[in-house]
Amino acid sequence: METIAIYSESVISTYGFNLLQRLIMGQVEVTFDQLSRWGALLQDIAHKPAFRLVWAQSCRPGGIKFYLLCDDGQWHKVKTFFDRCTEDRLGTWRRNAEGVDLLFFQGPHFGDRYGIMHYTHKVLTDKRIPVLAAVCSVATINLMLPVGRGETAKKELTCAFNIPMQKRTPG
Amino acid sequence: MTINGLKLNGPFAALWIAASEQKASTLAALYRLLTVNCVNIAYMTTGDAMADEPALCCIDRSEAAKVEAWFDNDPQLRDQIRVGSDVGLLTFYPHHSSLKMLGSALQLLGEHEIHVHGMASSISALSFVVAFEQLKEAGAVLSQGLQLPDSATPIRDVVKIRQEQR
């Protein structure tokens, strides 16, 4: 069965931009055969930290690197875990010294983001705002930006996208 | 540890963007090409500023042949992007921002030797990129290990979105 939907957007629409500033980013690389031990250790953290974003990616044959973003107040709990990893020889962790701003937005539609990354990237490039990393998962697009650049990026993207039912002014 | 739902998607073609100093410009060229040709991005993780690491972009498998053909016409994309073996996306929700839940999923997948190519959270869901031939097994492992409610079954997404510009 085929359903055809036709929509017209002179300006790409999204549901608004969310900004989290000065997050801590930690990263650790483990090998695939360490994955289950690493997962088990992760469940053992005494004081359960909450993450803002996690992602991982194969980085070389046999290895996968995990990235974790959390609030400053959660970092000491995460660090406890990373230190345990080091003790157990489960990868070497490091912390991004400067931290990051995380800008994220939803949609549009069911994870259908045709053209959205290109549009977003172009807006930021034109304004010389560097993207440290991007993560597109389900219907969310996450942009990691240098600390202090998130506010400007939010303002520029808010102006560039159409945000239905909301004022276009950021805030 | 319970979840409310689990979804299986795929197959997807995995586009691996090489770790190099050119990665940021390769990504920009890839975004442009996918946009001009109306190809959707199902999943992506990039470290634009991390030149020593690759980036991963997943597109629908049915689009892969024509995308590869376009790469052949562009020296940078041809040299910097490799189309890997098929992958599937395994997504469960909610994650409650819980590292314990993430750890549990990774332990289960690792114990069953499911090859995890990547993983990312969204606002409420966690998605794992796994070898497509292991997707069904991975779904069974997580639906049992993370206690999917009896009334729910893993959803196999069969909806295909095709977009055209007029």
Side-chain angles (χ1 to χ4, degrees), chain A residues 17-83:
Chain A
F17 294 88
N18 305 283
L19 177 63
L20 297 169
Q21 294 173 290
R22 296 190 173 279
L23 297 181
I24 308 291
M25 183 165 84
Q27 57 181 275
V28 63
E29 182 182 335
V30 296
T31 59
F32 287 122
D33 57 1
Q34 293 173 328
L35 202 58
S36 60
R37 277 177 60 212
W38 197 77
L41 194 61
L42 202 49
Q43 297 168 71
D44 277 350
I45 309 177
H47 305 287
K48 307 299 181 202
F51 63 78
R52 290 294 191 175
L53 178 71
V54 287
W55 83 98
Q57 187 186 292
S58 296
C59 53
R60 59 180 175 79
I64 186 164
K65 189 174 278 188
F66 288 85
Y67 298 85
L68 186 148
L69 265 60
C70 66
D71 295 321
D72 191 35
Q74 299 283 311
W75 172 249
H76 67 283
K77 302 175 189 172
V78 176
K79 184 177 178 301
T80 305
F81 164 69
F82 279 154
D83 286 338

Side-chain angles (χ1 to χ4, degrees), chain B residues 18 46 48 55 62 72 79 83 98 102 107 136-137 140 147 156 162 166:
Chain B
T46 75
D48 301 47
S62 62
D72 286 341
D79 295 344
V83 181
S98 162
L102 169 64
Q107 184 180 9
K136 199 173 167 186
E137 183 189 356
Q147 296 172 21
R156 187 67 188 251
R162 190 182 73 241
R166 298 189 175 189

Side-chain angles (χ1 to χ4, degrees), chain A residues 62-125:
Chain A
I64 186 164
K65 189 174 278 188
F66 288 85
Y67 298 85
L68 186 148
L69 265 60
C70 66
D71 295 321
D72 191 35
Q74 299 283 311
W75 172 249
H76 67 283
K77 302 175 189 172
V78 176
K79 184 177 178 301
T80 305
F81 164 69
F82 279 154
D83 286 338
R84 277 281 306 277
C85 291
T86 304
E87 284 169 25
D88 289 10
R89 300 187 178 192
L90 286 171
T92 307
W93 67 270
R94 79 184 173 88
R95 170 184 166 171
N96 173 297
E98 298 83 22
V100 295
D101 285 353
L102 172 63
L103 185 63
F104 61 97
F105 59 106
Q106 293 280 330
H109 314 304
F110 303 97
D112 159 19
R113 57 178 71 88
Y114 148 69
I116 301 293
M117 276 307 292
H118 177 56
Y119 190 73
T120 303
H121 189 263
K122 191 169 182 318
V123 169
L124 298 179
T125 303

Side-chain angles (χ1 to χ4, degrees), chain B residues 2-162:
Chain B
T2 59
I3 56 174
N4 292 342
L6 194 138
K7 197 165 128 182
L8 312 177
N9 291 81
F12 296 102
L15 310 181
W16 291 97
I17 297 92
S20 79
E21 295 297 332
Q22 299 173 55
K23 191 172 66 174
S25 67
T26 304
L27 282 168
L30 177 64
Y31 296 149
R32 189 168 54 248
L33 183 138
L34 295 179
T35 299
V36 168
N37 295 288
C38 303
V39 176
N40 207 26
I41 296 171
Y43 172 97
M44 186 162 66
T45 52
T46 75
D48 301 47
M50 304 161 194
D52 56 339
E53 290 165 30
L56 171 61
C57 175
C58 298
I59 60 169
D60 195 282
R61 188 72 192 83
S62 62
E63 310 265 24
K66 67 179 182 187
V67 169
E68 272 190 280
W70 296 325
F71 289 172
D72 286 341
N73 295 323
D74 183 314
Q76 182 180 6
L77 295 178
R78 185 186 58 218
D79 295 344
Q80 297 292 319
I81 301 180
R82 176 177 63 84
V83 181
S85 53
D86 286 358
V87 295
L89 286 174
L90 174 64
T91 301
F92 72 79
Y93 52 89
H95 57 55
H96 298 299
S97 299
S98 162
L99 287 176
K100 184 178 171 69
M101 187 167 274
L102 169 64
S104 180
L106 288 173
Q107 184 180 9
L108 289 163
L109 295 173
E111 283 172 354
H112 288 81
E113 298 184 351
I114 304 292
H115 193 96
V116 179
H117 292 284
M119 179 273 302
S121 63
S122 65
I123 286 178
S124 65
L126 265 179
S127 290
F128 294 85
V129 183
V130 302
F132 183 67
E133 66 268 19
Q134 293 184 302
L135 180 63
K136 199 173 167 186
E137 183 189 356
V141 164
L142 288 196
S143 64
Q144 289 163 16
L146 296 182
Q147 296 172 21
L148 190 65
D150 292 341
S151 57
T153 53
I155 299 167
R156 187 67 188 251
D157 195 350
V158 292
V159 176
K160 297 278 182 193
I161 297 173
R162 190 182 73 241

